[in-house]
Each structure stands twice: as C-alpha cells, then as structure tokens.
Amino acid sequence: RDTQQADTEHLSRWKKWRRSSSKSWKKALSEVKGLSSYLVLWQRDIHSIEGKFGTGIQSYFSFLRFLVVLNFLIFILMFSFVTLPFVISKYGIFNSTIAYISPKNIEDKCTIYEPSGNKGLVYFYTYLKDLFSGTGFLEVTSLFYGYYTVDAVWIGIMRYNLPLAYLLATFAYLAISFLWIIKRSVNGFTQNLVHDADPFQSYCNKVFAGWDFCITDPNAAWLKQRSLQYELQTDLQEEKLKQKIAERTMKEKLRIYSLRMFINIIVIAILSGCFYSIYRVTVFSQENSSDSDNANSLVNLLVQYLPSMVITLANFIAPLIFSFLIRFEEYIPAFEIRLTLMRCVFVRLANIGVLLFSLWSQISDCGADKCKPCGYNYKLYPCWESDVGQEMYKLMIFDFIVILAVPLFVDFPRKMLATHCSCKLIQWFGQQEFGISDNVLEIIYGQTICWIGTFFSPLLPAIATIKYFVIFYVKKIILTHTCKPAARPIRASGSNFFFLVVLLIGLILAFVPLGVSIARIPSSKACGPFRNFNTSWEVVPDTILEFPTVLQQILFGMASEAFAVPFFMIICIVMFYFIALARAHKRVVEQLREQLVLESRDKMFLIRKITEAQR
C-alpha cells in the first residue's frame, strides 16, 4: 500500500481520479454482490440443510430451487406471448379485436366442439370434480388449448399472429430449458472431472483449501465444519469399498456378476409389467369415461383418474423394489445412486411415454373410417389437444396430492412409532433416511409432465411453480423432523451433474411427443389456434410465404438438403477437432502431473541429502 501511494504522488490528476473511481466502482460492485446473495431464494435454508445433512441432500434442494425458477420463467413466457394477447383482445383493451377465419374445405362435423361447461344450477361436488379432472368450467378457461380458438389478434393497427406466437413460444421454452440445463451441467461436469481425475488431489483440496476464511459467525463455522466432515466421510467410505472390490477373489466376482444378471432380469420384468398395465388402463379409461351420467360422477372421476393412479402406483412401488434390490449388488455409493436413478428414470419417464402412445393410438384409431373426414377420431376427440392437456393436468395434480399425502400418512406416523414404541420390529424398521434418488425422480417426473403438457395447457407451468414451491417446505419439514442423517452420505459434486443429466433425459423425452403432435398428428379443426392448418407446423411455411421473395429463397434454401448435408459435415469436422484437442490437453495434463511428482521426489531427495550432511 505504501508503494502504491508513493507511485500515485507522481501521477496526474486525471490518472489519480481514474484509479480512485475504479477502486470505488469495484468496491460498490462487491457490496452489491454481497447484498444480492440475500435475495437468492431459500439461500439460508439451503445452507442450513447442507451443514446438518451434507452436500448431497443440499444438492437436491438446490436442484428444486432451479426448477421453481425455470417453471416461473416458462410461465412468464407463455402468459406474455399467448394468454395475455388473447385476453387483451377478447375484452377490447387497447382498441384490440379478434379475427376469426372459418376453416376451408373441412366438413361441418369436424368443427363441432361442445365443451362440457357447467350451465344452470351446479352442485359443489361438480365443481370439485371439475377441479380435479380439468373438465367442466376448467375446460373452457385459458388453462387449456381449446380456449385459444382465434386466428389473429389486432392491437390497434398491428396484427399479432397468435398461431405463430403459440408455436414459437413452445420452441422458446424448450430451447431455454435445454440451454440452461446444458450451462449448469457444464459447471457440474467440470467439478466432477476434477474430482474423479485424482482422488488424492481432491482430498488435499478439502484438507488444505476447503475452509472459507470469510466466515466470522460461529453458527456458520459449525455448518461449514459439518459440510467438510460429510465430504471427507464420503471419500473414506468410497475408498474402503474400492479396496474391498479390488480384493475380491474369482469366486466372489462370479457370484456377484451372476446375482447382478438375475436382478437385472427381475428389473426388466417389472418394467414390462408396468408398461403393459398402463397401456391397458389408459385404453379402458378413454373408452369408458363419460360426463353424460351425472349420477355416476364419482365413478366417472375414478375411471378418468385410473391412468394417473396406476402410473403413480408404479412410480411408488418400482423404486422401492429397485432400492431393495440394489443392496445385493454391492456397488459403491456414488454408482449405486446413479444406477437406482437410471432404473427409476425408465419407470417414471417411460410411463409417460406409454400413456401418450396409448392416447395417440386412440386419437389416430381410424378403424371403420373413423378418421376419414378429419384425419383423427373426431367423435371421441373433437379437440384432442385439450384432452391430452387434461391428462397431463391430472397427472400433475395427482402427483402433487401423493407427495403431500405420503408425509402425512406414512412419514410422520413412522417417526412417532419409532420414537415412542419399544417393539423390536418397529425399531428395526426404524427412522427413515432421506432417499435422494426417489425425491429427485419425483420432481424430474413432474417437470417432464410440465414440458409435455405446456403445449396443450399453456398455464401448466404456473401450477408446477406453485407445486415445487410447496414441495420445498414439505420436504424440508420431513427432512428436519422425520429423517436421520444418511448412513452413507452422497457427494454433491457428482450428484448435481447427474441430476441435470437425468433432467436432460426427461427434456429429450419431451421433444418426441411434442414433435409428433406438432408435425405429424392433424390438428383439431374444432378448436385451438391451428384449426385452419393441417398440422401445427404448417403455420411456419405459411408465414414464410408472406415474406419477400429473396428472404423466402434463403430460408427454404437453408431447409434444403443441399445446405443441410454440408452443414452437418462441417459440424462433424469441428466436433472431431475438439475431441482431438481435448485428448491432447488430457495428455499434457498427465505429463504435468508426472512432472510434479518427479519434482516432489527430487525435493525429498535433496532434503534427505541435506539432513544427512548436517548429521
């Protein structure tokens, strides 16, 4: 500081002012950054959880916070570009109007759509049934696709193309989700790569560089100590298991591999049973659910919820079986949670795929010329997009009800029995641990439903945001009052990255049904913004035809094979270049590590020689 002050005496006034203003600006930015940390959602709660239960469980709550923010952003996007323009024009705000264009070359029977909206005197239980099933008064609200039956919106003299905005908003929320997940995955992958590269280096980093010297609060210091303790405990347990695996005999290896093969056969059988059950139940529900008989409204509601109940039951039972079977396969904790997660992914996400496949088989069921006039089964599904949206809505609501019911009727009674009852069986059953894999799959399953359902129900992200917001506090109460710290803590560096990979799998799964619905299945001719198009995708080339001729040629040229094939080849060449560059960097890193080891050995040799000479 004295040297810098001496140097500043010889500077001009302009340079002195620049240097002082630069310091003041950096200090102001640092203070703003410090204050902004208090505005981060659930920051103190997550730090407290990290200290008490380890970074693995803390990564779950951070992941949940990420999904709350993501869904809120998707809701703002869909509301701003789809719902708000329609509502403004419907009520004539800002001198706006709605333009309707009657479908051309379409038979009248395809344009008949009579939603089951409640009319006249309606009982309370009917509203309750509609609230759970998405029918009745909810079917004619902005929650579902069928509400947006409009071709253009005029705000003053400006024409707002609502069909194009609807499709582009769908692409936008998928792209935002994809890019944000990739960005977070890169950070997690870097930490995971550093950790896996050299376990001893990771151990040294925790011992010598793991402490945060900015901590002054005793409570914060205790939380940091607990966090480091859990990290070191996890490292030591993994090293013990790796040593045990390395010492296995050939007979033990043969036994383990045979047992794993047998367990995988059981897993495949469970998956097949779940898929077949969901398919049969969905077909039965679609063929037998009807709103015409009000006397059997409760039975009708149960029939409508059969797919949701069977899917939830499969999602609840299958992970329990997988968690029980994984104990006999003797994997290390990190790989154990990943394998359990992957098995549960195939149950939860594939269940959604089977449900959608069952719905499409009914929508496209063209036996006895059912689809000839309209291209889809218009008698059973006059507005099939709203029907798919209702299925996604029911899955979301029923999943939320189950998540709230399990703590109330399972977790808290189990805690009370384990605390106050001395029965050996109950004590053996004991106090539960917080299952990271099951809880992560719960929210990834719900998020996949949200991604798929947002196209058919634009306001579904708002429900998902509220759902995850409530789930955070429910899970926090369960964790602090009914769960004990895990016997085998899970490291956060690997967990964060793997959670995002599984979430990315869910997003890619959402691309498939949305792509088929947009590009392949004929859009409903009786409802929705795409009723004048054969498919939802046709609004894009139809809009391009309104552009100038030169711009049309450029866009159609970019979509042609003459452009796509060279572009794909260039992308492959660039990808191979970066792969080769990464391998070269890896070899350089290995050489530098070997060099560091040799230098440390040379220093030890010199110290030993100096010590001998002094003696």
Side-chain angles (χ1 to χ4, degrees):
R1 190 184 297 112
D2 293 339
T3 305
Q4 288 181 353
Q5 289 178 354
D7 293 338
T8 54
E9 293 178 358
H10 304 287
L11 297 176
S12 61
R13 291 184 178 180
W14 169 249
K15 290 184 178 181
K16 287 181 180 180
W17 179 83
R18 285 185 59 186
R19 179 172 291 188
S20 61
S21 62
S22 176
K23 288 183 179 180
S24 301
W25 177 249
K26 289 179 180 179
K27 184 178 180 181
L29 286 178
S30 177
E31 291 178 354
V32 170
K33 188 177 180 181
L35 292 174
S36 64
S37 63
Y38 291 98
L39 302 177
V40 178
L41 185 65
W42 298 321
Q43 185 77 3
R44 298 186 67 179
D45 294 333
I46 291 176
H47 279 317
S48 176
I49 290 169
E50 178 184 3
K52 293 178 181 178
F53 297 95
T55 53
I57 294 177
Q58 173 264 337
S59 64
Y60 163 78
F61 285 92
S62 299
F63 183 64
L64 188 58
R65 177 177 60 186
F66 163 67
L67 291 183
V68 169
V69 178
L70 177 63
N71 281 295
F72 183 72
L73 183 63
I74 295 174
F75 162 69
I76 293 297
L77 180 69
M78 296 299 293
F79 181 80
S80 302
F81 292 97
V82 176
T83 306
L84 189 60
F86 183 81
V87 172
I88 287 175
S89 58
K90 184 177 180 180
Y91 294 99
I93 304 174
F94 301 124
N95 194 24
S96 56
T97 57
I98 297 176
Y100 294 99
I101 302 174
S102 300
K104 299 177 181 178
N105 302 323
I106 297 296
E107 295 188 19
D108 293 337
K109 63 179 71 175
C110 298
T111 61
I112 298 174
Y113 174 51
E114 298 177 353
S116 57
N118 299 321
K119 298 178 181 179
L121 182 62
V122 180
Y123 292 106
F124 175 74
Y125 72 83
T126 305
Y127 281 111
L128 196 61
K129 178 182 74 70
D130 294 340
L131 186 64
F132 282 105
S133 62
T135 56
F137 76 94
L138 272 183
E139 191 173 358
V140 294
T141 62
S142 57
L143 181 61
F144 292 110
Y145 171 94
Y147 177 77
Y148 303 91
T149 306
V150 62
D151 299 286
V153 172
W154 288 91
I155 303 176
I157 59 172
M158 184 184 69
R159 182 178 181 271
Y160 187 79
N161 192 338
L162 186 66
L164 182 64
Y166 198 107
L167 191 64
L168 292 181
T170 302
F171 293 154
Y173 82 74
L174 292 174
I176 289 172
S177 302
F178 180 78
L179 294 175
W180 202 351
I181 293 171
I182 291 295
K183 181 180 179 298
R184 290 176 65 95
S185 298
V186 168
N187 297 332
F189 177 73
T190 305
Q191 296 176 4
N192 201 29
L193 189 66
V194 169
H195 180 271
D196 293 339
D198 188 358
F200 183 73
Q201 181 183 359
S202 175
Y203 176 76
C204 292
N205 287 338
K206 290 184 181 66
V207 173
F208 296 108
W211 186 254
D212 185 359
F213 287 94
C214 295
I215 294 176
T216 56
D217 182 48
N219 187 38
W222 177 79
L223 292 176
K224 186 65 177 178
Q225 288 173 359
R226 291 292 301 272
S227 175
L228 288 173
Q229 176 188 347
Y230 276 114
E231 288 279 345
L232 294 173
Q233 184 180 349
T234 305
D235 289 336
L236 293 174
Q237 288 182 350
E238 286 193 1
E239 289 301 320
K240 286 181 180 179
L241 283 174
K242 288 179 181 178
Q243 185 178 0
K244 183 180 177 181
I245 292 171
E247 294 174 353
R248 283 175 182 166
T249 61
M250 185 59 66
K251 183 178 179 181
E252 291 176 342
K253 290 181 180 178
L254 184 63
R255 179 186 64 83
I256 289 294
Y257 293 147
S258 302
L259 184 60
R260 288 175 182 175
M261 186 179 299
F262 177 70
I263 290 175
N264 284 321
I265 293 173
I266 297 175
V267 170
I268 293 172
I270 294 171
L271 292 174
S272 303
C274 291
F275 299 159
Y276 181 75
S277 301
I278 293 167
Y279 175 77
R280 297 304 306 171
V281 165
T282 304
V283 173
F284 174 80
S285 175
Q286 295 298 312
E287 291 178 350
N288 294 277
S289 62
S290 174
D291 293 324
S292 59
D293 190 1
N294 292 326
N296 295 323
S297 58
L298 181 59
V299 176
N300 181 42
L301 181 62
L302 292 176
V303 172
Q304 290 182 19
Y305 260 91
L306 269 179
S308 301
M309 288 189 288
V310 172
I311 289 175
T312 305
L313 187 64
N315 294 341
F316 180 73
I317 294 176
L320 294 178
I321 299 174
F322 295 157
S323 300
F324 175 75
L325 293 176
I326 197 71
R327 299 175 184 175
F328 301 99
E329 298 185 77
E330 298 183 17
Y331 292 115
I332 61 175
F335 185 77
E336 182 177 311
I337 189 173
R338 293 174 185 178
L339 182 59
T340 306
L341 268 172
M342 291 307 299
R343 287 172 176 172
C344 296
V345 162
F346 280 105
V347 173
R348 292 178 179 269
L349 301 187
N351 285 347
I352 303 174
V354 173
L355 173 66
L356 293 171
F357 173 78
S358 306
L359 289 173
W360 286 336
S361 66
Q362 295 292 303
I363 294 168
S364 304
D365 183 13
C366 298
D369 295 333
K370 294 180 182 178
C371 308
K372 191 174 182 180
C374 312
Y376 58 92
N377 192 345
Y378 65 94
K379 292 183 179 179
L380 190 60
Y381 300 98
C383 184
W384 65 266
E385 291 91 348
S386 290
D387 291 322
V388 175
Q390 287 170 2
E391 290 297 329
M392 298 296 105
Y393 172 81
K394 285 185 283 189
L395 282 176
M396 179 79 72
I397 295 298
F398 194 75
D399 181 60
F400 189 34
I401 292 172
V402 170
I403 291 175
L404 296 179
V406 168
L408 185 61
F409 297 107
V410 177
D411 295 337
F412 282 106
R414 178 179 175 179
K415 167 68 175 178
M416 297 294 292
L417 289 173
T419 305
H420 301 287
C421 185
S422 58
C423 178
K424 291 184 178 180
L425 180 62
I426 294 176
Q427 290 298 322
W428 174 79
F429 192 59
Q431 191 176 349
Q432 65 175 343
E433 294 180 2
F434 191 83
I436 296 179
S437 60
D438 297 339
N439 285 282
V440 167
L441 259 295
E442 276 182 359
I443 57 178
I444 291 177
Y445 164 76
Q447 186 59 39
T448 306
I449 293 172
C450 180
W451 278 323
I452 297 173
T454 300
F455 178 76
F456 309 103
S457 177
L459 298 185
L460 199 62
I463 300 174
T465 303
I466 298 171
K467 171 186 171 182
Y468 291 138
F469 191 87
V470 174
I471 285 176
F472 181 91
Y473 290 101
V474 171
K475 294 297 182 182
K476 181 186 173 185
I477 293 171
I478 294 171
L479 180 66
T480 54
H481 292 89
T482 69
C483 296
K484 60 182 179 180
R488 293 185 297 180
I490 304 301
R491 183 183 296 107
S493 59
S495 300
N496 282 324
F497 172 67
F498 195 70
F499 294 165
L500 291 168
V501 170
V502 178
L503 185 64
L504 188 61
I505 293 173
L507 179 60
I508 293 172
L509 175 68
F511 288 160
V512 178
L514 287 175
V516 173
S517 301
I518 291 170
R520 299 291 298 176
I521 302 180
S523 56
S524 297
K525 303 303 182 290
C527 69
F530 304 104
R531 59 179 185 155
N532 284 303
F533 302 97
N534 187 33
T535 61
S536 303
W537 174 254
E538 283 191 0
V539 69
V540 175
D542 185 75
T543 305
I544 292 176
L545 291 176
E546 300 176 1
F547 292 166
T549 307
V550 177
L551 186 58
Q552 288 183 34
Q553 293 176 350
I554 293 173
L555 293 175
F556 283 121
M558 293 176 63
S560 65
E561 295 179 357
F563 176 82
V565 173
F567 180 75
F568 178 74
M569 293 178 64
I570 293 172
I571 290 295
C572 290
I573 292 171
V574 172
M575 183 180 66
F576 287 132
Y577 166 75
F578 280 109
I579 291 173
L581 189 65
R583 290 176 178 173
H585 287 166
K586 186 176 180 180
R587 285 195 295 269
V588 171
V589 169
E590 290 175 354
Q591 291 174 1
L592 290 173
R593 281 181 177 163
E594 292 176 358
Q595 186 177 348
L596 285 173
V597 172
L598 292 175
E599 287 182 359
S600 63
R601 289 177 180 175
D602 291 343
K603 290 177 181 178
M604 292 297 297
F605 177 76
L606 291 173
I607 291 172
R608 193 179 302 112
K609 288 295 182 183
I610 293 171
T611 305
E612 291 177 356
Q614 289 176 349
R615 289 176 180 175

